[in-house]
């Protein structure tokens, strides 16, 4: 893309649009705002197909952009990364988002120094990619990078960070080694949230934590039970959390199956 903003006689807010150079040398302006006015001309409305068409050009054509434009492009990439995205496009989106974040990290301009928001967007891309097998490892590496860069409050991990790492773990697929790595990362985040209590969780935290424990580990009943008990204590049990409990109980985990009825009965009043 070119610098967003003014393009010929057309103007658009910096964080709302990105200009792309077409193969014939001309330029076109597309909006990165997913809530654009439906009456806007199709020429300036970003459709799912349009951004996927343009994504492949980003590594070749992008030049130095301002912070708000990096944020907008990263958000557009995350918005277009979903289970229905093709394998090639999904991997390309992950690689492009990673490249853009690295460019911000390596930039000598202080205005381009990435914040927790930028890291969280890229983590969201990793988590939602359905064709990226090492997503859990990549997500955790990015989380550790946030910790290492944290000489101020600019890259402090928050609950969105932890949820995204857990989501990447819960949706990991591939070889036994890949799944084992994802399970180990799940336990590290479990330790941060449940034991060390470094961040206040929400229902989404427990959804992805319980899902990851259910899918990735064999001898994990104690982690599952402790997580669910803590969820009950915080009054965060809802339908999506309870569904994970039902799934693990129905899979014949004896200790889990025996203990959950009493847990459910004792915590009925805490359900949200």
């Amino acid at each position: 893309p070119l610098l967003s903003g003014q393009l010929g006689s057309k103007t658009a807010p910096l964080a709302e649009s990105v200009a792309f150079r077409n193969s014939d040398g001309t330029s076109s302006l597309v909006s990165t705002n997913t809530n654009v006015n439906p009456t806007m001309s199709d020429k300036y409305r970003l459709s799912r197909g349009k951004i996927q068409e343009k994504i492949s050009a980003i590594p070749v054509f992008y030049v130095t952009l301002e912070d708000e434009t990096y944020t907008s492009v990263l958000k557009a990439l995350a918005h277009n990364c979903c289970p229905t995205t093709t394998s090639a496009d999904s991997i390309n989106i992950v690689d492009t988002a990673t490249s853009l974040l690295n460019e911000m990290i390596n930039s000598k301009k202080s205005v381009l120094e990435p914040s927790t928001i930028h890291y969280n967007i890229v983590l969201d891309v990793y988590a939602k990619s359905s064709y990226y097998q090492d997503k859990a490892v990549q997500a955790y590496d990015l989380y550790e990078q946030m910790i290492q860069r944290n000489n101020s409050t600019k890259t402090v991990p928050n609950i969105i960070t932890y949820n995204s790492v857990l989501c990447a773990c819960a949706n990991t697929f591939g070889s036994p080694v890949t799944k084992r790595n994802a399970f180990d990362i799940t336990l590290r985040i479990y330790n941060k949230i449940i034991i060390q209590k470094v961040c206040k969780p929400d229902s989404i935290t427990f959804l992805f934590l319980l899902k990851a424990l259910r899918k990735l580990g064999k001898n994990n009943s104690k982690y599952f039970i402790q997580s669910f008990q803590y969820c009950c204590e915080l009054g965060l049990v809802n339908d999506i959390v309870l569904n994970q409990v039902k799934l693990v109980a129905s899979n014949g985990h004896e200790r889990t199956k025996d203990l959950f009825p009493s847990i459910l009965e004792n915590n009925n009043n805490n359900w949200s």
Side-chain angles (χ1 to χ4, degrees):
L2 306 171
L3 290 174
S4 67
Q6 187 170 0
L7 180 66
S9 60
K10 301 291 184 181
T11 60
L14 183 63
E16 300 287 330
S17 61
V18 179
F20 288 91
R21 190 182 302 281
N22 299 317
S23 59
D24 60 0
T26 61
S27 299
S28 59
L29 186 66
V30 294
S31 170
T32 56
N33 184 352
T34 56
N35 297 313
V36 292
N37 189 323
T39 62
M40 182 182 292
S41 168
D42 285 344
K43 183 177 181 181
Y44 302 107
R45 187 186 308 132
L46 181 65
S47 65
R48 182 175 297 276
K50 190 71 172 179
I51 192 171
Q52 290 179 339
E53 175 186 339
K54 299 299 183 181
I55 282 171
S56 60
I58 292 177
V60 179
F61 294 114
Y62 74 78
V63 295
T64 302
L65 310 176
E66 293 304 317
D67 171 58
E68 289 184 351
T69 304
Y70 272 101
T71 305
S72 294
V73 175
L74 286 172
K75 285 182 177 179
L77 290 169
H79 179 75
N80 283 271
C81 189
C82 61
T84 58
T85 307
T86 65
S87 174
D89 283 344
S90 180
I91 294 172
N92 198 16
I93 289 173
V94 171
D95 291 344
T96 300
T98 304
S99 296
L100 289 173
L101 180 63
N102 286 335
E103 183 167 317
M104 296 183 74
I105 293 170
N106 297 326
S107 174
K108 296 180 180 180
K109 293 185 177 182
S110 59
V111 70
L112 291 181
E113 183 180 354
S115 67
T116 300
I117 292 174
H118 300 103
Y119 278 97
N120 284 350
I121 295 172
V122 178
L123 284 170
D124 185 45
V125 170
Y126 289 165
K128 293 195 298 188
S129 172
S130 57
Y131 293 93
Y132 211 75
Q133 291 193 24
D134 292 328
K135 64 172 76 179
V137 173
Q138 295 294 327
Y140 191 77
D141 285 348
L142 198 58
Y143 159 76
E144 287 195 315
Q145 188 182 116
M146 293 177 70
I147 301 294
Q148 294 167 4
R149 289 178 59 86
N150 185 24
N151 53 8
S152 66
T153 60
K154 196 165 186 181
T155 59
V156 176
N158 56 24
I159 193 57
I160 297 174
T161 309
Y162 291 106
N163 287 353
S164 294
V165 176
L166 286 172
C167 181
C169 293
N171 293 314
T172 289
F173 62 96
S175 68
V177 173
T178 299
K179 292 181 179 179
R180 180 64 199 181
N181 289 337
F183 180 67
D184 290 342
I185 292 169
T186 300
L187 294 186
R188 293 179 193 178
I189 302 300
Y190 163 91
N191 187 61
K192 292 283 187 181
I193 299 294
I194 308 299
I195 307 301
Q196 298 180 25
K197 296 179 170 57
V198 299
C199 195
K200 185 177 180 180
D202 56 23
S203 293
I204 301 300
T205 310
F206 289 104
L207 163 64
F208 292 133
L209 176 57
L210 295 176
K211 182 178 179 180
L213 291 171
R214 176 177 64 81
K215 291 179 63 177
L216 298 172
K218 294 182 178 179
N219 301 313
N220 60 2
S221 59
K222 71 172 184 178
Y223 302 116
F224 197 101
I225 291 170
Q226 287 175 1
S227 298
F228 183 64
Q229 286 176 324
Y230 187 40
C231 182
C232 291
E233 290 172 11
L234 296 177
L236 294 174
V237 178
N238 57 17
D239 287 343
I240 59 174
V241 171
L242 191 57
N243 186 56
Q244 295 302 315
V245 175
K246 291 178 179 178
L247 287 171
V248 76
S250 66
N251 286 337
H253 295 276
E254 289 303 323
R255 186 178 174 212
T256 305
K257 192 174 181 180
D258 291 340
L259 289 180
F260 275 142
S262 60
I263 293 174
L264 295 175
E265 181 179 353
N266 291 335
N267 291 278
N268 273 337
N269 294 331
N270 289 330
W271 292 9
S272 60

